[in-house]
Amino acid sequence: MKKDITKDTDFNPMITTAMETVKVDYNTPLTKLDESVTTLEEYRGKVLIINFWASWCGPCQQEAPHLKAFYDNMPDNVELLAINITSSEIRKNIEKFIDLYDLKFPIFLDLDKSLEKSFKVLTYPTTIIVDANGILKYTIKGPMIVSSPSPTWA
């Protein structure tokens, strides 16, 4: 079932508070693989690991098994969200990538690159880590090679 959420191309998923803290806007729309739409509200209260990737990206391919291993063993208070930079991707390649690495975590499409632009993603992969209160904690440019199922930021 598709939710009726209008995507504003000028929407900014990050809010700077009066205290200069950068927080995620939980009203940020996310397009699922079936092109239905949800928002970050669905994940409020969890540590969010938001990973921007592409199937043709060598470092993304290197990172995928590590993200899968992390997801398979991650704590309940953490959610891994993968956002594919879809405007330059062929859907068939996205699905092959998901199947090849047996990815089970939520995967979203950035159909118009608005999320990539809003999160200021310049390189792939890029991972944004937001704490359970919605505060931006880390931006990691390049592959995240996870050696522990429970890193210290979780």
Side-chain angles (χ1 to χ4, degrees), residues 2-3 30-37 91 109 111:
K2 291 188 178 191
K3 288 187 179 179
L30 299 170
T31 303
K32 296 179 182 181
L33 286 175
D34 66 3
E35 296 195 30
S36 64
V37 180
R91 179 68 62 102
L109 306 173
L111 296 169

Side-chain angles (χ1 to χ4, degrees), residues 7-77:
K7 193 165 187 176
D8 178 356
T9 55
D10 292 331
F11 184 82
N12 189 346
M14 302 306 284
I15 301 166
T16 303
T17 67
M19 307 267 308
E20 298 298 316
T21 302
V22 178
K23 294 185 81 170
V24 71
D25 182 343
Y26 286 103
N27 292 314
T28 300
L30 299 170
T31 303
K32 296 179 182 181
L33 286 175
D34 66 3
E35 296 195 30
S36 64
V37 180
T38 188
T39 65
L40 285 174
E41 181 65 38
E42 186 175 332
Y43 306 101
R44 183 186 290 269
K46 291 189 170 197
V47 172
L48 299 179
I49 302 168
I50 305 170
N51 179 263
F52 287 86
W53 65 281
S55 66
W56 48 261
C57 163
C60 300
Q61 295 164 7
Q62 177 189 15
E63 176 183 62
H66 296 276
L67 291 178
K68 180 194 179 328
F70 173 75
Y71 184 77
D72 290 347
N73 296 292
M74 72 182 187
D76 291 338
N77 68 328

